[in-house]
Amino acid sequence: MDVRVRGSLAGVVAPPPSKSQAHRLLICAALGSRDCRVACSALNDDLVATMNCLNSLGANIEYKDGCFSVTPVVLKKNGVLDCGESGSTLRFLLSVAAVLGADATFVGKGKLPQRPNGALLDVLNAHGVVCERHNESLELPLTCSGVLQGGNYTLQGALSSQYLTGLLFALPLAGHDSVIELQGDVTSQSYIEMTLDAVRSAGIRIENRGKLFKIEGGQGYALPQSVTVEGDWSSAAFWLVAGVTGKHPIKVCGMNSSSIQGDRYIVEHLRSMGAFIEECEDGFVAMPSHLFGCELDCMDTPDLVPILSVAAAVADGDTLFTNVGRLRYKESDRLAAMKSTLAAFGIQSEIGEDTLRVHGGKVSAAAEVDSFGDHRIAMSAAVLATLADGDTLIRDAGCVAKSYPSFFDDFASLGGVVL
């Protein structure tokens, strides 16, 4: 689906629930011993993928009236788990399926078969699992057989936190105790904290001291019978940037200021650039602001880089984003994608090995931009289009369904024009 957008934004918006938290709560519920309800006010493609994969493992999960009804897994072996384009679904459930002894085959589409998983597969292969690719040049399809064993695990902390999260879900179910040691720098620490929070809410005991995780085997999951997914800071970021870069305030409702979601730091990042964002009783108000370039460390907030680069586009001076190299391996090469998107609007940028530098300037009209099939690029392009005169055509904008299917409805509710 292509869309044409224009216009300035103003008003009040409530972002969808947190995709990251919902993934985690669904998995904890499916691994439990009793039925559970997970309140989640909206669906997206990635959550549908996780729901379907858990059902393929033997759970019975249905979504109706803003709520998942979860009956836990009664194992089905030799299933096919279609992860769609969701890296979280794949990397979380590889370890989960392995510890259950599911002998499952994983498939996916889009860029997912090309996204690297070698380090995780090496760890699984070293602990009782045989992982076999069906195509030597692609990561998927992939069949994993055998049963994941407890023991001593070592991972590079600079690799995807999703590898660690999958093991943190799985190893409490192993027959023996385990220790996971992270080596080197640790990226996306906030996502690790989200995982620990989710499993602990299900009664799982994991001792974490810095880069060391001690996990008792033979545990069982037991979430409360009803849990609620909180608002998504990753989605809220688009409207906060639209507020501080636009002509009118935007109020973002339903956000938890004490959330452990790492992307809550969008507020601090924008304030570092001079943005005026006020917290109120039921959310945050982003006011039109005069922004200045600065240096932003995005080690723990990689998903914010595309939309923060929109703020950088209109800031005085340069903005340097550091620790962003792994953005090359997301749904698109997000560094190259944002460089191309910014250039289409007359903004220059430079990509380094682990950096992105954006030269602030005047945003000019862009007749057409490509989403690169990446939801965060499409949404960032839409916000950038509000800063220019005229219409902008966004190719393949339907990819927003991966995380925020109602994005363009909300864009229109704020006064934007969507054609």
Side-chain angles (χ1 to χ4, degrees):
M1 175 186 78
D2 300 342
V3 300
R4 191 177 296 277
V5 297
R6 67 171 183 269
S8 61
L9 306 182
V12 180
V13 65
S18 167
K19 177 167 69 86
S20 296
Q21 188 184 48
H23 279 304
R24 288 161 170 80
L25 291 177
L26 279 178
I27 292 171
C28 289
L31 294 177
S33 57
R34 63 185 181 191
D35 291 358
C36 177
R37 292 172 59 83
V38 179
C40 182
S41 59
L43 266 184
N44 57 54
D45 289 351
D46 280 9
L47 291 181
V48 170
T50 290
M51 177 177 69
N52 290 341
C53 286
L54 290 169
N55 285 342
S56 294
L57 286 173
N60 184 3
I61 306 175
E62 297 179 347
Y63 182 81
K64 184 179 180 181
D65 298 330
C67 188
F68 292 100
S69 298
V70 183
T71 298
V73 169
V74 176
L75 183 62
K76 294 179 182 177
K77 294 176 72 75
N78 302 306
V80 176
L81 276 61
D82 186 350
C83 301
E85 297 186 55
S86 175
S88 295
T89 303
L90 173 62
R91 291 162 173 172
F92 294 174
L93 293 184
L94 276 169
S95 296
V96 169
V99 81
L100 295 175
D103 296 344
T105 297
F106 292 83
V107 299
K109 63 181 181 180
K111 295 291 186 181
L112 189 60
Q114 301 169 4
R115 294 176 67 178
N117 298 303
L120 176 58
L121 300 186
D122 289 344
V123 167
L124 298 181
N125 284 327
H127 291 83
V129 183
V130 177
C131 301
E132 298 179 300
R133 295 183 180 89
H134 296 212
N135 185 322
E136 289 185 2
S137 63
L138 296 173
E139 295 292 316
L140 300 177
L142 174 73
T143 298
C144 295
S145 56
V147 179
L148 186 66
Q149 304 297 315
N152 295 323
Y153 288 74
T154 302
L155 284 173
Q156 293 297 318
L159 299 175
S160 174
S161 65
Q162 293 170 346
Y163 299 167
L164 173 62
T165 282
L167 292 171
L168 292 175
F169 282 131
L171 291 176
L173 301 177
H176 300 283
D177 296 352
S178 300
V179 175
I180 304 174
E181 182 180 359
L182 300 181
Q183 295 183 336
D185 294 334
V186 179
T187 63
S188 300
Q189 180 66 40
S190 59
Y191 287 103
I192 299 171
E193 294 298 329
M194 288 185 71
T195 303
L196 292 172
D197 181 70
V199 300
R200 286 167 178 163
S201 71
I204 296 297
R205 300 175 299 279
I206 295 178
E207 181 184 347
N208 176 213
R209 295 183 178 178
K211 300 179 183 181
L212 201 67
F213 300 81
K214 295 184 178 180
I215 306 167
E216 179 183 337
Q219 298 187 60
Y221 280 79
L223 268 182
Q225 288 185 300
S226 180
V227 293
T228 300
V229 182
E230 66 184 22
D232 183 36
W233 276 103
S234 301
S235 299
F238 295 97
W239 309 125
L240 293 172
V241 169
V244 301
T245 60
K247 299 176 181 178
H248 309 284
I250 294 178
K251 181 178 180 180
V252 183
C253 293
M255 303 311 300
N256 176 11
S257 61
S258 60
S259 171
I260 61 172
Q261 294 179 53
D263 285 353
R264 73 186 185 282
Y265 287 110
I266 181 65
V267 174
E268 290 188 22
H269 284 329
L270 289 173
R271 284 173 174 167
S272 296
M273 300 178 74
F276 181 63
I277 300 175
E278 182 180 36
E279 184 174 1
C280 54
E281 184 177 352
D282 59 345
F284 290 79
V285 179
M287 308 291 291
S289 305
H290 186 179
L291 303 181
F292 300 88
C294 66
E295 181 173 327
L296 296 175
D297 184 346
C298 296
M299 174 76 79
D300 290 329
T301 54
D303 286 342
L304 294 180
V305 172
I307 189 58
L308 279 170
S309 69
V310 174
V314 296
D316 282 349
D318 292 358
T319 300
L320 179 66
F321 300 97
T322 62
N323 292 307
V324 299
R326 64 196 184 285
L327 289 172
R328 293 182 174 90
Y329 308 107
K330 296 288 187 175
E331 287 83 344
S332 68
D333 177 342
R334 285 183 176 160
L335 297 179
M338 281 312 302
K339 179 179 175 65
S340 173
T341 302
L342 291 167
F345 287 92
I347 301 299
Q348 299 304 306
S349 60
E350 300 162 359
I351 298 171
E353 181 177 350
D354 204 21
T355 61
L356 172 66
R357 183 182 294 274
V358 178
H359 304 289
K362 179 176 174 55
V363 175
S364 58
E368 180 179 321
V369 294
D370 192 345
S371 72
F372 297 87
D374 189 325
H375 54 134
R376 300 201 191 281
I377 303 302
M379 292 186 281
S380 298
V383 175
L384 195 52
T386 67
L387 308 179
D389 295 329
D391 294 356
T392 297
L393 180 69
I394 305 174
R395 295 290 186 189
D396 191 19
C399 61
V400 299
K402 188 176 195 297
S403 64
Y404 197 164
S406 64
F407 174 82
F408 286 107
D409 292 334
D410 290 346
F411 185 95
S413 76
L414 292 169
V417 176
V418 181
L419 302 172

